[in-house]
């Protein structure tokens, strides 16, 4: 560039700058540059709008990158020193806070994603977190919604937030690792709902993050809060009956005809009092043992008695005699009920107290029970009483909003098995809770029963909808960590500011819980089956014996029977074990050793050994889909059989930390494919469908449980072996408890041990929701092989060798047992040998026969000669013997020549004579 051009450009810039005004303090703000490797930075002035003024301050050396202000202070960028926040504002010092959610604050990002892979066409683009003013709410569809925030920290910091997690159908996660440098925080929800029901979103508010380098401004207090003095680290909520606007330094009192709840930004007109603004209760017993029905306004009172159409508080009833104390309590001199001591009736001989709690009279709320109202949205108001005593029952009072959750919580210290139950028994009941309730509703009310498995988690056990007649429900407690129980009533989920269903009510008439540590005795149990502890006043019967009423006499139970601790004292305590089962050592459960003998027709006996199938086996149903495309499975675990000490089948709830688990012979849980952390699937809603073995038989019906053949048509002549199980857990639909049957079918071609099928016409394993059926095909389900299962084949004699081969009878219907014998080889003789031997033997026999004939012929001739000579000498006189003839043949003399000379006959004549002789 030439000197002339540079001069012209300089004059132009001078002219432009001369036209722009000088910058005022309101025209720019200060920012820090990025930190260099030495941890230093510069403060620079940045115009609020480009090309609006000139003469910005020069950059100056900034504070160190690690510099920060304390709580209630902010960094004044002009002086680069910390200043106190003015009244009506607050500061976290080294942090940022987000307590207003009219829109998504800067830095937050939300998006939805499909967690079910390519198996569904669900669109999750709109499944995001939504600002709702005081909080931000998650999605309520079958998508995963993520809310993230990126922050750069100059030092390790902290994060805090408030959340409302109302529905266990949603998996809620928060990921955080705050360290120096860039960090991303995110909150994620994934919903798993298997029925078409409304799901409550997760709510989030008051997010605060510390560890940033500084804050250059203070935040105004939101409406409903205030800060009265400078340098506040947080704002204080306004009390009830007051209000404040944004950035307030004081709270203002509401006018006489208006009211407000704590933390309100405005006051509301007081409505006219209605029947929903008061409740009735029974007063505690006075010193005279009297009580009365009394009506009270719901506190704090927000209605006006002077408004047009307002109702008056009804007068209290007359005093009446107090009802009796609950079982296990007695009346003291002050007319109050205290736990039993020596003043109560002693248990009879052979029994001992059954410790627990039984509430059926409600004059005062028990000390271990609390009630409160929980609002669907965030609320700092928990002042109202949700449940109130009414003599014969406890009931839900009218609520402030129809969507409120009216909660009643019972807390226990733990459980202890009494001596009347063997601790190693498979039938041992740690504890059981039973309650009688009723709901009266005009809307779609819901009544929930929840169990707390640790102080931070409550899981829903059962729920009822709409009006329900007076009924009883029982729940088996299997974990000592179950320390709280909650009954919750919600009148409707319909969001409506007006109260329309205040008259809808839930009532609990009685609650009973057994084996509670620190409980009281309301009844007596028979003595223990085993030796009593040292110092026990109870003298137990030996194992396998029962107490004869209250006499203290022990009688032995019949063979192969167990003793049910739940039975009363007497012979009814002995229960016969089912077919092909045997009692355990503690006389408390019937077990199968996995072997079985089945008598067939024509005297045949089949021997089975299912030991190879005894290990816990898991399998699941075919995939199912909700109406919105979410895929899920029903997963089953089976522990078929085994002696004492067997490993039970276990199903767990792993959606949340510390989820409950159930153990027994057969259990079920619902499994959903997951994108949660490293888990490929999550399991929820576990329950038992078999904790007691009823029997093992080939019959299709046992103890009221049926396994019809049409569920699994037979494929061979062998009968199926059926295991029958029963569960003691009852539900609203299965009042007699659930049950299950497992058919074992012989199939030698199946090498896998876990080929278990569900009925084709009941794809979830059950046709009625209470009885479950399974078919287990395996070679290990075949009878053991015996000699009757094979036959022998004998080969021809070849070159002096004969082979005997053994083969299985077809079709093969056995496995294991006796092995197939090895082939036998034996020596043998051919036909040619026997023919030669026969000819030789015949020839020898013929020669021998001729020789013998000749010998006897010769002997006969000699005798004939002697006879003839005697006859000739007798002279024909009868009865006269011949005289001795000196010429007779002497002993040993051969007379053959004499015979030949005596008579001369032809050859043929000799033959004829020989024949006659």
């Amino acid at each position: 560039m030439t000197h002339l051009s540079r001069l012209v450009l300089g004059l132009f810039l001078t002219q432009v700058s001369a036209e722009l005004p000088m910058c005022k303090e309101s025209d720019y703000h200060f920012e820090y540059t990025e930190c260099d490797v030495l941890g230093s930075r510069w403060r620079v002035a940045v115009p609020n709008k480009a090309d609006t003024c000139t003469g910005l301050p020069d950059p100056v050396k900034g504070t160190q990158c690690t510099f920060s202000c304390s709580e209630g202070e902010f960094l004044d960028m002009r002086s680069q020193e910390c200043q106190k926040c003015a009244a009506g504002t607050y500061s976290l010092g080294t942090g940022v806070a987000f307590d207003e959610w009219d829109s998504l604050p800067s830095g937050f990002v939300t998006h939805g994603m499909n967690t079910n892979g390519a198996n569904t066409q669900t669109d999750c683009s709109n499944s995001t977190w939504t600002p709702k003013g005081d909080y931000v709410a998650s999605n309520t569809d079958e998508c995963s919604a993520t809310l993230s925030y990126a922050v750069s920290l100059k030092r390790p910091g902290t994060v805090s937030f408030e959340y409302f997690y109302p529905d266990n159908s949603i998996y809620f996660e928060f990921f955080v690792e705050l360290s120096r440098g860039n960090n991303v925080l995110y909150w994620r929800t994934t919903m798993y709902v298997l029925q078409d029901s409304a799901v409550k979103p997760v709510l989030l508010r008051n997010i605060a993050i510390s560890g940033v380098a500084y804050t250059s401004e203070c935040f105004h207090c939101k409406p409903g809060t205030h800060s009265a003095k400078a340098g506040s680290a947080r704002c204080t909520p306004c009390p009830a009956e007051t209000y404040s606007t944004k950035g307030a330094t004081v709270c203002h009192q509401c006018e006489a005809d208006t009211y407000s709840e704590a933390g309100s930004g405005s006051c509301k007109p007081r409505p006219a009092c209605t029947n929903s603004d008061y409740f009735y209760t029974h007063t505690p017993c006075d010193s005279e043992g009297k009580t009365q029905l009394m009506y009270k306004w719901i506190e704090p009172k927000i209605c006006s008695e002077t408004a047009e159409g307002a109702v008056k508080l009804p007068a209290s009833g007359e005093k009446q005699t107090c009802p009796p104390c609950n079982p296990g309590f007695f009346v003291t001199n002050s007319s109050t009920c205290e736990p039993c001591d020596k003043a109560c009736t002693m248990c009879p001989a052979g029994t001992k107290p059954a410790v627990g709690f039984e509430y059926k009279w409600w004059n005062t709320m028990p000390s271990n029970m609390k009630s409160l109202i929980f609002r669907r949205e965030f609320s700092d108001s928990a002042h109202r009483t949700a449940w109130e005593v009414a003599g014969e029952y406890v009931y839900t009072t009218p609520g402030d909003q129809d969507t409120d959750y009216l909660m009643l919580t019972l807390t226990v210290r733990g459980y202890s098995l009494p001596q009347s139950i063997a601790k190693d028994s498979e039938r041992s009941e740690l504890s059981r809770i039973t309650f009688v309730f009723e709901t009266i509703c005009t809307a779609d009310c819901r009544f929930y029963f929840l169990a707390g498995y640790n102080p931070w988690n409550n899981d829903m056990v059962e729920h009822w909808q709409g009006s329900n007649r007076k009924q009883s429900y029982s729940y088996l407690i299997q974990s000592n960590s179950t320390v709280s129980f909650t009954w919750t009533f919600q009148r409707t989920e319909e969001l409506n500011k007006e109260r329309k269903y205040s008259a809808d009510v839930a009532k609990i008439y009685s609650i009973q819980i057994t084996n509670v540590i620190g409980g009281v005795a309301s009844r007596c149990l028979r003595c223990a089956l085993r030796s009593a502890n040292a110092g026990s006043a109870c003298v137990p019967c030996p194992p396998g014996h029962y107490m004869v009423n209250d006499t203290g006499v022990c009688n032995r139970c019949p063979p192969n029977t167990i003793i049910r601790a739940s039975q009363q004292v007497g012979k009814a305590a002995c229960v016969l074990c089912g077919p092909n089962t045997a009692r355990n050592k503690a006389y408390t459960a019937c077990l199968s050793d996995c072997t079985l003998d089945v008598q067939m027709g024509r005297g045949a006996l089949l021997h089975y050994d299912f030991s190879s199938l005894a290990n816990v086996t898991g399998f699941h149903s075919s995939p199912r889909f909700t109406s919105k495309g979410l895929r899920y499975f029903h997963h089953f675990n089976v522990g078929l059989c085994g002696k004492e000490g067997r490993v039970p089948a276990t199903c767990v709830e792993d959606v949340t930390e510390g989820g409950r688990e159930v153990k027994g012979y057969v259990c079920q849980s619902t499994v959903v494919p997951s994108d949660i952390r490293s888990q490929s699937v999550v399991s929820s809603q576990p329950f038992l469908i078999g904790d007691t073995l009823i029997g093992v038989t080939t019959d299709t019906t046992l103890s009221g449980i049926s396994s019809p053949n049409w569920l699994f048509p037979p494929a061979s002549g062998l009968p199926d072996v059926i295991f029958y199980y029963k569960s003691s857990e009852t539900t609203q639909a299965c009042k007699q408890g659930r049950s299950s049957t497992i058919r074992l079918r012989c199939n030698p071609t199946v090498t896998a041990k876990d080929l278990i099928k569900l009925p084709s016409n009941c794809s979830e394993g059950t046709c009625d929701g209470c009885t479950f059926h399974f078919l287990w095909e395996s070679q290990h389900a075949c009878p053991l092989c015996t000699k009757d299962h094979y036959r022998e084949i004998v080969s021809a004699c070849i070159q002096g060798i004969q082979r005997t081969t053994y083969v299985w009878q077809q079709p093969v219907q056995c496995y294991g047992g006796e092995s197939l014998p090895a082939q036998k080889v034996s020596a043998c003789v051919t036909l040619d040998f026997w023919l030669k031997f026969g000819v030789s033997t015949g020839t020898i026999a013929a020669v021998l026969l001729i020789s013998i004939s000749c010998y006897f012929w010769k002997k006969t001739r000699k005798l004939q000669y002697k006879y003839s000579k005697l006859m000739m000498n007798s002279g024909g006189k009868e009865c006269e013997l011949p005289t001795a003839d000196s010429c007779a043949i002497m002993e040993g003399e051969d007379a053959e020549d004499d015979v030949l000379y005596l008579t001369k006959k032809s050859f043929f004549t000799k033959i004829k004579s020989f024949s006659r002789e």
Side-chain angles (χ1 to χ4, degrees):
M1 181 182 294
T2 62
H3 176 71
L4 179 60
S5 62
R6 288 196 297 269
L7 179 61
V8 171
L9 179 59
L11 293 175
F12 175 76
L13 293 175
T14 302
Q15 182 179 2
V16 172
S17 298
E19 293 178 356
L20 294 177
M22 294 298 293
C23 290
K24 302 177 182 179
E25 292 185 358
S26 59
D27 294 332
Y28 60 89
H29 64 277
F30 292 107
E31 293 182 4
Y32 280 126
T33 61
E34 293 292 333
C35 295
D36 56 24
V37 294
L38 300 177
S40 301
R41 55 188 175 185
W42 291 81
R43 188 200 69 178
V44 297
V46 179
N48 297 330
K49 293 183 180 180
D51 300 330
T52 56
C53 64
T54 187
L56 293 173
D58 295 331
V60 298
K61 190 75 172 179
T63 59
Q64 290 296 313
C65 290
T66 58
F67 177 83
S68 61
C69 295
S70 302
E71 290 185 346
E73 296 181 341
F74 72 100
L75 179 63
D76 184 359
M77 294 292 288
R78 296 187 179 279
S79 63
Q80 297 196 75
E81 295 181 353
C82 295
Q83 305 270 346
K84 287 187 176 182
C85 290
T89 63
Y90 73 98
S91 167
L92 300 179
T94 61
V96 290
F98 306 95
D99 53 10
E100 293 185 77
W101 299 88
D102 295 323
S103 60
L104 210 59
S106 177
F108 281 89
V109 177
T110 179
H111 66 276
M113 61 179 292
N114 184 0
T115 60
N116 203 22
N119 296 319
T120 179
Q121 303 299 322
T122 303
D123 182 11
C124 295
S125 58
N126 294 323
S127 300
T128 58
W129 290 73
T130 306
K132 297 288 186 179
D134 290 335
Y135 55 85
V136 58
S138 71
N139 63 316
T140 57
D141 55 20
E142 294 172 354
C143 296
S144 180
T146 301
L147 177 70
S148 59
Y149 179 73
V151 60
S152 178
L153 301 184
K154 303 305 178 183
R155 62 180 62 182
T158 61
V159 59
S160 64
F161 57 89
E162 298 176 15
Y163 67 94
F164 176 43
Y165 186 14
D167 200 317
N168 61 2
S169 295
I170 296 181
Y171 193 100
F172 177 52
E173 304 171 280
F174 170 60
F175 296 84
V176 57
E177 184 179 354
L178 293 180
S179 58
R180 184 176 301 175
N182 295 326
N183 297 267
V184 177
L185 315 177
Y186 66 93
W187 298 260
R188 184 169 69 183
T189 58
T190 305
M191 191 185 74
Y192 302 109
V193 59
L194 305 183
Q195 61 273 352
D196 295 328
S197 60
V199 177
K200 306 167 188 64
V202 176
L203 308 182
L204 189 65
R205 71 172 183 178
N206 292 345
I207 300 176
I209 304 170
S210 66
V212 298
Y214 66 92
T215 177
S216 59
E217 61 178 344
C218 298
F219 302 97
H220 290 285
C221 293
K222 67 177 183 178
T225 64
H226 72 289
S227 62
K229 57 182 181 180
S232 297
R234 57 191 55 83
C235 298
T236 305
C238 290
E241 307 300 334
T242 63
Y243 73 98
S244 70
T245 56
K246 186 174 183 178
T249 58
V250 295
C251 296
H252 305 284
Q253 192 72 30
C254 290
E255 297 181 3
D257 58 345
T258 62
Y259 76 99
S260 69
E261 297 177 350
S264 298
S266 61
C267 295
K268 305 174 185 178
R270 291 185 181 273
C273 290
T274 66
N275 295 333
S276 299
D277 292 306
Y278 64 82
F279 64 93
Y280 61 92
T281 185
H282 277 250
T283 62
C285 296
D286 58 21
S287 58
E288 299 177 353
K290 300 290 184 180
T291 183
Q292 67 178 142
L293 183 69
M294 180 177 291
Y295 294 88
K296 294 182 178 181
W297 294 111
I298 294 176
E299 296 293 340
K301 181 182 176 184
I302 63 173
C303 65
S304 173
E305 297 181 64
T306 59
E308 183 179 355
V311 300
K312 300 295 184 181
L313 191 67
S316 298
E318 296 181 357
K319 286 191 174 184
Q320 299 176 347
T321 302
C322 284
C325 292
N326 281 313
F329 292 81
F330 72 100
V331 181
T332 64
N333 295 332
S334 60
S335 297
T336 60
C337 293
E338 297 291 339
C340 261
D341 58 8
K342 295 181 180 179
C344 295
T345 303
M346 301 297 293
C347 283
T351 64
K352 65 171 297 180
V355 179
F357 288 115
E358 184 177 1
Y359 305 111
K360 61 181 182 180
W361 300 107
W362 304 91
N363 251 39
T364 58
M365 189 69 74
S367 59
N368 59 345
M369 298 183 71
K370 304 293 181 184
S371 73
L372 59 92
I373 291 181
F374 203 78
R375 190 151 297 169
R376 179 168 177 171
E377 288 78 18
F378 283 108
S379 175
D380 296 319
S381 175
H383 49 270
R384 297 180 181 271
T385 299
W387 293 74
E388 192 58 57
V389 296
E392 296 182 352
Y393 56 84
V394 59
Y395 76 104
T396 53
T397 62
D400 187 28
Q401 295 183 11
D402 288 339
T403 56
D404 288 345
Y405 294 93
L406 310 178
M407 306 175 67
L408 177 67
T409 300
L410 167 64
T411 304
V412 297
R413 292 165 51 189
Y415 315 95
S416 176
L417 283 171
Q419 291 181 353
S420 57
I421 301 177
K423 294 183 179 179
D424 58 351
S425 165
E426 295 188 10
R427 288 283 304 166
S428 299
E429 286 188 5
L430 179 63
S431 180
R432 181 183 292 270
I433 185 169
T434 304
F435 58 92
V436 178
F437 71 97
E438 178 185 23
T439 57
I440 304 172
C441 303
T442 57
D444 58 335
C445 67
R446 287 174 171 83
F447 183 61
Y448 302 90
F449 173 58
L450 303 94
Y453 298 93
N454 56 50
W456 307 278
N457 183 27
N458 280 328
D459 282 352
M460 186 180 70
V461 175
E462 188 63 271
H463 76 282
W464 298 263
Q465 188 169 352
S467 295
N468 291 272
R469 59 177 177 79
K470 188 176 179 180
Q471 59 186 276
S472 174
Y473 179 79
S474 181
Y475 173 68
L476 182 64
I477 302 163
Q478 295 182 318
S479 171
N480 226 329
S481 62
T482 309
V483 295
S484 67
F485 304 93
T486 301
W487 294 265
T488 301
F489 181 69
Q490 185 188 35
R491 291 184 167 89
T492 182
E493 291 188 342
E494 177 186 349
L495 293 175
N496 196 319
K497 296 298 183 182
E498 298 179 3
R499 292 180 296 181
K500 300 192 300 183
Y501 308 112
S502 295
D504 292 0
V505 65
K507 298 179 181 180
I508 296 178
Y509 292 89
S510 65
I511 300 174
Q512 180 181 3
I513 182 170
T514 62
N515 303 342
V516 179
I517 296 176
V520 296
S522 59
R523 60 193 178 97
C524 298
L525 287 176
R526 61 176 172 79
C527 288
L529 303 177
R530 54 173 54 195
S531 299
N533 294 336
S536 174
C538 183
V539 180
C541 287
H545 291 68
Y546 64 92
M547 190 77 66
V548 180
N549 298 327
D550 299 333
T551 63
V553 177
C554 296
N555 281 0
R556 177 182 291 275
C557 279
N560 203 32
T561 59
I562 62 173
I563 298 179
R564 293 285 173 84
S566 59
Q567 300 287 346
Q568 298 296 323
V569 176
K571 193 172 182 179
C574 303
V575 180
L576 182 66
C577 285
N580 299 301
T581 63
R583 61 166 180 80
N584 62 352
K585 294 180 181 179
Y587 291 81
T588 53
C590 298
L591 307 176
S592 167
D593 62 357
C594 303
T595 62
L596 178 68
D597 291 338
V598 176
Q599 186 69 48
M600 300 293 290
R602 300 186 301 277
L605 184 64
L606 301 180
H607 304 277
Y608 290 87
D609 187 353
F610 306 120
S611 301
S612 298
L613 306 178
N615 295 332
V616 176
T617 302
F619 61 99
H620 55 76
S621 66
S622 57
R624 303 182 65 82
F625 297 87
T626 65
S627 59
K628 296 183 180 179
L630 178 66
R631 182 178 58 172
Y632 66 95
F633 305 86
H634 289 309
H635 185 80
F636 301 90
N637 281 331
V638 173
L640 185 69
C641 53
K643 299 180 180 179
E644 294 184 79
R646 68 179 184 85
V647 178
T650 304
C651 295
V652 300
E653 165 85 64
D654 61 6
V655 173
T656 56
E657 296 293 334
R660 71 187 181 102
E661 65 178 15
V662 296
K663 295 183 178 182
Y665 281 99
V666 190
C667 62
Q668 177 192 315
S669 60
T670 301
V671 174
V672 182
S674 169
D675 190 32
I676 299 172
R677 298 188 182 179
S678 60
Q679 294 175 260
S680 59
V681 295
V682 293
S683 175
S684 64
Q685 304 172 8
F687 61 86
L688 280 172
I689 55 179
D691 57 13
T692 303
L693 177 61
I694 302 300
V696 184
T697 178
T698 57
D699 297 336
T700 57
T701 301
L702 181 63
S703 299
I705 306 173
S706 179
S707 176
N709 288 327
W710 57 263
L711 287 172
F712 305 103
S716 67
L718 283 177
D720 294 335
V721 177
I722 308 175
F723 281 72
Y724 290 86
Y725 304 95
K726 185 78 174 177
S727 172
S728 56
E729 289 186 358
T730 60
T731 64
Q732 184 183 8
C734 307
K735 300 187 183 301
Q736 302 300 319
R738 299 184 179 94
S739 58
S740 58
T741 66
I742 300 180
R743 280 177 171 260
L744 298 184
R745 178 169 294 175
C746 172
N747 191 339
T749 63
V750 177
T751 57
K753 294 183 180 180
D754 54 355
L755 183 60
I756 304 180
K757 300 178 181 178
L758 304 177
S760 58
N761 52 347
C762 302
S763 58
E764 295 186 1
T766 177
C767 301
D768 58 5
C770 297
T771 303
F772 292 75
H773 306 278
F774 310 99
L775 174 65
W776 194 340
E777 291 186 279
S778 173
Q779 58 187 4
H780 300 285
C782 296
L784 299 177
C785 294
T786 64
K787 294 180 179 180
D788 296 332
H789 290 96
Y790 61 82
R791 60 189 177 90
E792 64 178 22
I793 300 176
V794 181
S795 67
C797 187
I798 302 174
Q799 297 180 351
I801 296 176
Q802 189 174 51
R803 303 177 186 273
T804 303
T805 306
Y806 299 89
V807 296
W808 294 113
Q809 299 280 5
Q810 296 297 325
V812 179
Q813 292 185 327
C814 68
Y815 183 80
E818 292 190 19
S819 301
L820 200 64
Q823 187 183 63
K824 292 182 179 180
V825 179
S826 58
C828 62
V829 181
T830 62
L831 181 60
D832 293 342
F833 170 82
W834 286 112
L835 184 60
K836 293 177 181 179
F837 178 79
V839 171
S840 301
T841 303
T843 303
I844 295 172
V847 172
L848 182 61
L849 182 60
I850 293 172
S851 300
I852 292 173
S853 298
C854 291
Y855 170 78
F856 282 107
W857 176 78
K858 184 176 181 181
K859 281 285 185 181
T860 304
R861 294 300 297 164
K862 286 181 179 182
L863 290 175
Q864 185 181 13
Y865 166 76
K866 289 180 179 182
Y867 176 75
S868 299
K869 190 171 183 178
L870 287 174
M871 290 298 293
M872 290 173 63
N873 292 332
S874 64
K877 297 178 180 180
E878 294 182 2
C879 303
E880 189 174 321
L881 294 173
T883 59
D885 186 2
S886 58
C887 294
I889 301 174
M890 298 304 288
E891 184 178 356
E893 186 177 354
D894 193 353
E896 183 177 354
D897 297 336
D898 295 339
V899 174
L900 293 175
Y901 290 117
L902 182 63
T903 58
K904 294 185 181 286
K905 297 180 180 179
S906 66
F907 175 77
F908 293 104
T909 304
K910 292 179 180 180
I911 292 300
K912 290 179 181 179
S913 177
F914 177 77
S915 298
R916 284 195 303 269
E917 292 172 2

